[in-house]
Amino acid sequence: MDEVVKIINDIKAGKIKPIYFLMGEEPYYIDRITEYLEQNLLTEDEKGFNQMVLYGRDTTIDDIVSNAKRYPMMAERQVVIVKEAQELSRTIESLESYALNPQPTTVLVIAYKYKTLDKRKKLVKTIDKMGLVYESKKLYENQVGQWINRVLQGRGYSIEPKANAMLVTFLGNDLSRIANELTKLEIILPKGSTITPHHIEENIGFSKDFNVFEFRKAIGERNQLKAYQIANYFAQNKKDNPMVLVNGQVFSFFSSLLQYHGLKDKSPANVAKILRVSPFFVNDYIGAAKNYPMKKVSGIVATLRDIDIKGKGVGAANLEDADLYKEMLISIFR
């Protein structure tokens, strides 16, 4: 995120590169940088003749180079943006000859999403020397909560830890989707507001009481009544709570709990680091470890694997979700 801020600040300061090669598994920042360049390098009057957007599936490297070598019309520069450039992965290295001698009055933006090029390749080294190469890496889930806090702080909002954890639990590390949901909340809530679980439930659609987050917590605490109530809710609302996804979350919890049992250093900071979970969840693992010894956890993990197979219809085509939840919880609580 700091690197992205620097890139944007350099553009604002007029330090504009002739080539921006934006690549990586996380599309969010690639889209944000591309969007900023698209909206801010030229005035609206200049864009008509001097800004071109191409798409990887519909163009070639020769077309890109041909457009990049044009001179601007009644403007200081022209901008050529190639979106979905990963579609050109087989021929992208042909861009090297242009990268060696880029047109000084052209800003070429390559948005190469979901993939990366080997930084040892000559093309990458050349662009890095002549322009800018940015790699957008996926965040681990234990980093997403901090990212949410920083984004909201920058926009004049804050969020309660439980609400933050709910977003991470339900949306994982999909930054684009999380950002979209946060934007929805910002439209509704005045600046300075603190986002609560109630706001999440009312405006995003996650129940603050009947969700995977609370389900795992009830299981960890061996709160059988609450766990069965949530399981019953899930079984009756299958569309919003697919069995396979819920089972996957529970499996992830017990897999991490098994790893927790094996840790020598069980300090909260180390647990969060090794298990790659939000610090907000650490106490859940500490409490669950007291209720589920390592041997028991191993058996539960094996059962959850079996339920995953059945949930996908393998060897159990006629089993209802309610039956699978019952099998899950009986195995966990016995």
Side-chain angles (χ1 to χ4, degrees):
M1 189 170 179
D2 291 337
E3 188 178 355
V4 175
V5 171
K6 184 181 184 306
I7 291 170
I8 299 298
N9 285 340
D10 282 348
I11 295 168
K12 289 179 179 178
K15 300 174 184 177
I16 300 168
K17 306 289 187 179
I19 306 178
Y20 289 86
F21 195 93
L22 315 172
M23 64 180 184
E25 295 180 1
E26 176 51 66
Y28 178 78
Y29 285 119
I30 295 174
D31 288 339
R32 298 291 76 76
I33 297 171
T34 302
E35 184 179 273
Y36 187 85
L37 290 162
E38 186 174 0
Q39 293 178 355
N40 293 281
L41 288 187
L42 300 176
T43 67
E44 290 302 319
D45 290 338
E46 292 172 335
K47 287 178 183 178
F49 290 107
N50 298 290
Q51 184 155 291
M52 177 168 289
V53 178
L54 304 171
Y55 289 85
R57 184 173 295 180
D58 304 319
T59 192
T60 66
I61 297 298
D62 287 341
D63 289 338
I64 293 167
V65 171
S66 176
N67 280 287
K69 285 184 174 180
R70 288 190 307 125
Y71 288 97
M73 294 181 62
M74 296 177 290
E76 180 183 349
R77 64 175 65 91
Q78 70 155 347
V79 179
V80 178
I81 299 170
V82 186
K83 297 184 177 181
E84 309 298 337
Q86 67 276 8
E87 298 288 345
L88 294 164
S89 58
R90 293 182 180 180
T91 57
I92 193 69
E93 290 185 50
S94 302
L95 192 62
E96 183 190 328
S97 59
Y98 177 81
L100 285 167
N101 186 29
Q103 182 77 1
T105 54
T106 294
V107 177
L108 176 60
V109 183
I110 308 290
Y112 196 88
K113 299 194 290 188
Y114 312 112
K115 296 182 178 182
T116 58
L117 292 181
D118 189 332
K119 291 183 179 179
R120 295 170 296 182
K121 288 186 176 292
K122 193 172 180 181
L123 171 63
V124 179
K125 289 181 177 180
T126 301
I127 295 177
D128 196 35
K129 181 180 178 181
M130 305 300 294
L132 179 141
V133 176
Y134 168 70
E135 182 179 354
S136 184
K137 297 179 180 180
K138 275 281 187 187
L139 295 183
Y140 294 119
E141 283 199 14
N142 66 314
Q143 299 173 311
V144 176
Q146 183 181 6
W147 180 85
I148 291 171
N149 285 332
R150 289 181 66 180
V151 168
L152 287 173
Q153 185 178 18
R155 298 178 184 179
Y157 293 83
S158 59
I159 187 169
E160 290 184 4
K162 182 176 179 179
N164 188 315
M166 286 173 69
L167 286 173
V168 177
T169 298
F170 289 105
L171 301 178
N173 60 352
D174 187 338
L175 301 189
S176 296
R177 190 176 171 196
I178 293 172
N180 287 338
E181 299 298 347
L182 293 178
T183 299
K184 291 179 187 176
L185 292 172
E186 290 166 21
I187 292 170
I188 298 164
L189 302 174
K191 253 188 181 175
S193 297
T194 297
I195 297 170
T196 67
H198 177 74
H199 293 137
I200 303 289
E201 180 180 27
E202 289 295 313
N203 300 292
I204 297 180
F206 306 143
S207 169
K208 70 179 187 298
D209 297 315
F210 294 93
N211 56 62
V212 175
F213 170 71
E214 294 296 337
F215 188 51
R216 296 196 317 185
K217 188 178 175 87
I219 290 172
E221 295 173 349
R222 292 191 70 85
N223 186 337
Q224 297 189 37
L225 176 60
K226 186 173 181 181
Y228 275 103
Q229 286 175 335
I230 297 173
N232 183 58
Y233 175 84
F234 286 166
Q236 293 177 8
N237 297 272
K238 294 188 287 187
K239 186 177 179 181
D240 295 327
N241 306 278
M243 175 68 200
V244 172
L245 295 183
V246 173
N247 187 70
Q249 287 283 345
V250 178
F251 177 85
S252 175
F253 176 77
F254 278 103
S255 296
S256 295
L257 185 58
L258 192 62
Q259 192 176 5
Y260 173 86
H261 274 298
L263 292 177
K264 290 183 179 179
D265 179 3
K266 289 185 169 65
S267 64
N270 190 59
V271 171
K273 178 183 176 182
I274 299 300
L275 301 190
R276 293 179 177 175
V277 297
S278 165
F280 182 76
F281 289 116
V282 169
N283 285 335
D284 291 351
Y285 289 97
I286 294 172
K290 297 174 183 177
N291 292 324
Y292 300 96
M294 182 179 282
K295 186 176 180 180
K296 173 66 175 175
V297 175
S298 296
I300 291 171
V301 167
T303 298
L304 292 172
R305 283 200 183 100
D306 185 50
I307 290 173
D308 178 62
I309 293 171
K310 292 178 180 178
K312 293 172 181 174
V314 180
N318 296 322
L319 277 180
E320 295 289 338
D321 282 8
D323 297 322
L324 292 172
Y325 281 118
K326 184 177 180 181
E327 181 180 343
M328 174 198 292
L329 294 178
I330 288 174
S331 172
I332 290 172
F333 291 133
R334 70 185 173 194

